[in-house]
Amino acid sequence: MVRILGRAAIAATLCIASAALADGDAEKGHAVFHTQCAICHRITPDGAKSIGPNLFGVVGRKSGTLAGYSYSSAMKASNLTWNDATLEQYLPAPMKLIPGIKMTYAGLKNPAQLADLIAYLNTAK
């Protein structure tokens, strides 16, 4: 019984999180990207990198796999696939989710901005 309730609670939490992300505004997320991420990342179809890897097409990509970028061992070993759920966990505290990464960004703490940014990243395909 506990196992069933535990799974139900996890499923409910994921549904709530997904609903919150579904409310993200990609246009606002574009602005968040440019104020929070663009100093280190590009998001262009040409694949050009900056200090960090190019984030064009990041949604659906396995962590640490973009050709031409030198990822940390920690990022390569994390074995994540970037999607709404993993981005929602990662972006507020990157170094907490994957200790030992090169990215020194403290994290995006504002839930509305986080939802907007993830909505924007989903459009960059």
Side-chain angles (χ1 to χ4, degrees):
M1 185 68 155
V2 172
R3 183 176 288 166
I4 293 169
L5 290 176
R7 289 183 184 163
I10 291 169
T13 301
L14 289 175
C15 286
I16 292 167
S18 296
L21 289 174
D23 291 338
D25 181 322
E27 189 172 317
K28 289 179 182 176
H30 181 263
V32 173
F33 180 86
H34 285 284
T35 60
Q36 298 289 315
C37 312
I39 192 165
C40 296
H41 295 278
R42 292 189 179 157
I43 193 160
T44 57
D46 64 8
K49 63 182 191 251
S50 185
I51 295 168
N54 190 312
L55 298 180
F56 188 85
V58 71
V59 176
R61 183 189 305 157
K62 288 283 259 181
S63 58
T65 63
L66 182 67
Y69 185 77
S70 178
Y71 290 95
S72 66
S73 298
M75 183 59 80
K76 289 181 200 175
S78 68
N79 199 34
L80 298 173
T81 298
W82 298 119
N83 57 40
D84 290 358
T86 54
L87 289 166
E88 186 177 20
Q89 288 179 317
Y90 179 73
L91 292 171
M95 294 171 282
K96 183 176 178 184
L97 183 63
I98 310 173
I101 60 172
K102 295 192 296 186
M103 189 162 99
T104 58
Y105 179 63
L108 182 58
K109 310 298 186 210
N110 181 304
Q113 288 182 330
L114 178 62
D116 294 343
L117 178 59
I118 292 171
Y120 174 63
L121 292 174
N122 272 287
T123 68
K125 299 177 182 183

